Amino acid sequence: MGSHRRPKPPSRARIATLGMAAGAVSLLPTQSQAAPKPTIDEVRKEVERLYEEAEAPTEEYNAIREKQKKLQREADSAQDRLARKQQEINELRDAIGPLAAAQYRSGGVDPSVQLFLSGDPDDYLDQAEMLDRTSSRQAEALRAMQAKQRELTQERRAAQKRLQVLEETRTKAAQTKNEVQDKLAKARKLLNSLTAAQRARMEAAQEREDTAAGVSDSPATYNGPASGRAKAALDFAYAQLGKPYEWGATGPNSYDCSGLTGASWRAAGVSLPRTVKQQYDAGRKVAKSDLQPGDIIYWYNDNQHNGMYVGNGKAIHAPRTGKNIEIVPLDSMPFFAASRP
């Protein structure tokens, strides 16, 4: 602060140097943007990663949808119960109406005056007895109506709670759906950034890898040793070979992984729950060394991906978006567990 001299205007040379430096700085992002485009192999690996990441929320979405269906059924039956109870109350109210009218007509006059006015004491006593019966019937009907009214109020509260939980579940399902679709959109965008020739090269490389690994999605018929229900399940699964994977799908034109295992065993008359986790929890666990064709295989962990053992160290599964139902070596992914429906 000691000097009050105005700073010297920058010299032309200095301006030129600053300009070059500014130019260099402004070039930096451009240079990084112009970094070599990812190789076809890098794109493929990133697409694989995004598809794999979409699998866990897909299963979560399936579980939420199952819960949503159950809540919807409960809400519907609660509405039916409410309607029935309201009808019962209306009927009771209608029944009380004539009783109340009778009591009003007979009970509006003091009994001693009524006796005095009555030309026939016996007639009065008959009337009094009838009135007494009417009053007790009416009291009973009123009590019944009040009890029904209380039940109706409780039912209404319970129905409101169910609808609230159902709405929360719907919101959660929508969020999870968006999460999956976001990952799939990113994968599609990456794939769309490739030229047709690059994509063809990528698919050819994938096919070579699949062939080398013994992967096949060509239509085939199961002709292994399985019998009974396991054979029926495998016959169905084999008939789906070559159909596309689609998240959240349970057939008949596309499947996700647990959608395929569930549909295959359903064709054999066995009802499995919807998600990988639920199928894992419901099944009787078998050791890898005791595998039989038809057993359900879980890869990675207990809730991410499953398929069915077909024998000879191979399994059939709905792999991921962009691929078709295929037969793969059992150890093409990290084996986690197996269960027998």
Side-chain angles (χ1 to χ4, degrees):
M1 293 292 290
S3 168
H4 291 282
R5 282 182 307 168
R6 283 167 61 188
K8 271 197 313 186
S11 68
R12 274 207 185 126
R14 173 123 176 92
I15 289 169
T17 312
L18 283 168
M20 281 170 66
V25 170
S26 69
L27 277 175
L28 284 175
T30 317
Q31 282 168 344
S32 67
Q33 283 161 9
K37 273 186 138 184
T39 65
I40 294 173
D41 203 44
E42 282 167 345
V43 168
R44 186 160 58 116
K45 280 182 180 145
E46 181 61 10
V47 167
E48 282 283 347
R49 187 185 69 75
L50 284 164
Y51 283 151
E52 259 181 47
E53 277 184 9
E55 199 152 24
T58 295
E59 286 301 309
E60 190 189 336
Y61 175 79
N62 289 340
I64 295 167
R65 288 283 294 147
E66 286 300 289
K67 185 182 173 190
Q68 191 180 327
K69 282 179 199 161
K70 180 172 172 278
L71 284 167
Q72 188 66 63
R73 283 195 300 271
E74 285 176 4
D76 290 346
S77 63
Q79 294 290 3
D80 288 346
R81 283 197 303 277
L82 283 173
R84 275 201 306 277
K85 280 205 169 65
Q86 187 63 62
Q87 184 59 33
E88 285 167 11
I89 287 170
N90 294 346
E91 283 166 10
L92 280 167
R93 195 177 284 128
D94 290 346
I96 289 168
L99 293 173
Q103 187 187 36
Y104 176 78
R105 281 196 305 273
S106 311
V109 183
D110 182 277
S112 57
V113 176
Q114 218 168 27
L115 178 61
F116 175 73
L117 291 173
S118 172
D120 184 349
D122 287 341
D123 182 43
Y124 164 74
L125 290 171
D126 288 346
Q127 274 190 8
E129 197 182 339
M130 185 193 82
L131 178 63
D132 191 44
R133 283 202 303 274
T134 303
S135 298
S136 65
R137 277 212 312 280
Q138 186 183 11
E140 209 174 287
L142 272 168
R143 273 195 300 275
M145 191 171 94
Q146 283 164 344
K148 288 274 176 218
Q149 196 74 54
R150 275 195 299 274
E151 278 175 31
L152 183 68
T153 306
Q154 284 169 347
E155 281 278 355
R156 277 216 178 96
R157 281 199 199 109
Q160 277 302 113
K161 273 186 189 152
R162 277 200 186 91
L163 287 170
Q164 195 180 334
V165 174
L166 178 59
E167 202 44 56
E168 286 163 9
T169 309
R170 276 204 192 105
T171 306
K172 182 84 174 83
Q175 286 167 350
T176 311
K177 186 176 182 178
N178 289 341
E179 190 185 335
V180 175
Q181 286 180 327
D182 183 49
K183 290 187 189 303
L184 299 184
K186 279 180 186 163
R188 272 196 302 275
K189 194 175 171 188
L190 262 177
L191 288 170
N192 290 339
S193 71
L194 298 176
T195 65
Q198 285 174 324
R199 201 183 295 194
R201 280 208 299 281
M202 186 172 111
E203 283 164 8
Q206 182 70 60
E207 271 176 41
R208 282 196 299 276
E209 273 182 31
D210 285 351
T211 305
V215 175
S216 164
D217 65 0
S218 305
T221 307
Y222 175 75
N223 54 13
S227 59
R229 285 177 165 178
K231 183 182 185 311
L234 284 166
D235 283 342
F236 180 91
Y238 267 67
Q240 313 314 307
L241 275 166
K243 287 186 182 179
Y245 173 100
E246 185 187 355
W247 78 278
T250 55
N253 301 318
S254 54
Y255 299 84
D256 63 20
C257 63
S258 53
L260 177 67
T261 51
S264 299
W265 274 99
R266 192 162 55 250
V270 178
S271 179
L272 295 183
R274 173 65 182 96
T275 69
V276 172
K277 176 79 174 125
Q278 289 166 335
Q279 290 178 8
Y280 173 82
D281 290 341
R284 181 164 47 98
K285 307 301 173 295
V286 290
K288 194 177 181 183
S289 54
D290 293 331
L291 279 177
Q292 286 178 15
D295 289 348
I296 297 180
I297 307 295
Y298 304 87
W299 290 283
Y300 302 105
N301 54 39
D302 64 353
N303 66 9
Q304 187 170 343
H305 190 68
N306 69 359
M308 282 166 64
Y309 188 60
V310 302
N312 297 325
K314 296 201 166 189
I316 188 167
H317 74 144
R320 57 149 178 84
T321 304
K323 293 192 85 176
N324 299 332
I325 292 168
E326 61 185 16
I327 292 170
V328 294
L330 181 62
D331 294 322
S332 58
M333 293 167 279
F335 177 90
F336 174 75
S339 72
R340 190 163 295 154

